[in-house]
């Protein structure tokens, strides 16, 4: 559901952030990712709680709400908004820029006459590049979010979110 929210929100944001310039597309992608944290944070909290307690989804939901109240559902959401904003920007916007740059270089040098091969190589190269950079960039935020959600009752980290 997270990616669906990101794509739908990105489209809806065209009304508020109009234009086809790279900056407008980037702003929409980052905002769509950040907004998706409102859906993804509660879902990931339930999954993490199920993993840690070996309970069903319904029992995990009851436990979370019973021990921490209704505010628990947004535990980790702000840092997750950062993670999802970066992630969404990477797959909605950065990938195509990297792919086009790689293809342009390939067509100037090694693959001057083979546009199809240059396209495939550019897709693979851009996927690897943006994937690795995005993983490195978002990993700290994901770790912080996971620690916050694992301590949903704020027993160990009382002053964090």
């Amino acid at each position: 559901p997270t990616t669906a929210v990101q794509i739908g929100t990105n489209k809806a944001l065209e009304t508020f952030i109009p234009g086809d310039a790279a900056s407008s597309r980037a702003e929409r992608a980052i905002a769509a990712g950040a907004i998706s944290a409102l859906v993804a944070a509660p879902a990931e909290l339930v999954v993490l709680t199920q993993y840690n307690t070996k309970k069903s989804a319904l029992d995990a939901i009851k436990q979370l709400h019973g021990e921490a109240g209704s505010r628990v559902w947004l535990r980790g959401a702000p840092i997750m908004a950062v993670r999802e904003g970066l992630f969404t920007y990477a797959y909605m916007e950065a990938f195509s820029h990297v792919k086009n740059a790689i293809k342009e270089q390939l067509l100037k040098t090694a693959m001057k006459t083979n546009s199809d091969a240059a396209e495939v190589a550019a897709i693979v190269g851009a996927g690897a590049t943006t994937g690795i950079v995005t993983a490195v960039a978002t990993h700290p935020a994901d770790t912080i979010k996971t620690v916050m959600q694992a301590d949903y009752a704020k027993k160990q980290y009382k002053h964090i979110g």
Side-chain angles (χ1 to χ4, degrees):
T2 305
T3 304
V5 170
Q6 292 164 347
I7 291 170
T9 302
N10 186 63
K11 184 68 176 166
L13 286 172
E14 288 178 357
T15 303
F16 304 101
I17 308 171
D20 197 39
S23 60
S24 297
R25 291 191 314 267
E27 289 171 14
R28 285 193 300 268
I30 292 167
I35 290 167
S36 75
L38 296 173
V39 172
E44 288 191 20
L45 176 63
V46 171
V47 170
L48 181 64
T49 303
Q50 283 183 272
Y51 178 79
N52 287 338
T53 64
K54 310 297 185 244
K55 293 183 176 184
S56 70
L58 184 58
D59 287 341
I61 289 168
K62 289 177 184 176
Q63 177 180 328
L64 287 163
H65 191 73
E67 290 182 15
S70 58
R71 293 187 69 183
V72 74
W73 301 114
L74 293 179
R75 180 83 168 140
I79 195 71
M80 187 177 208
V82 171
R83 180 192 82 179
E84 292 300 321
L86 292 170
F87 178 80
T88 306
Y89 169 76
Y91 83 80
M92 285 190 166
E93 192 60 26
F95 170 82
S96 62
H97 289 292
V98 174
K99 182 190 77 133
N100 291 339
I102 291 171
K103 184 176 178 181
E104 183 180 316
Q105 286 302 312
L106 289 172
L107 289 173
K108 287 180 182 177
T109 57
M111 299 180 175
K112 289 180 183 178
T113 60
N114 195 339
S115 180
D116 290 342
E119 178 74 14
V120 170
I123 289 170
V124 171
T129 302
T130 57
I132 290 167
V133 169
T134 302
V136 170
T138 61
H139 183 72
D142 190 48
T143 300
I144 293 167
K145 185 270 314 170
T146 302
V147 167
M148 290 176 71
Q149 288 187 330
D151 184 36
Y152 63 85
K154 298 184 180 182
K155 293 177 182 173
Q156 186 174 0
Y157 301 103
K158 295 178 173 121
H159 305 292
I160 300 176

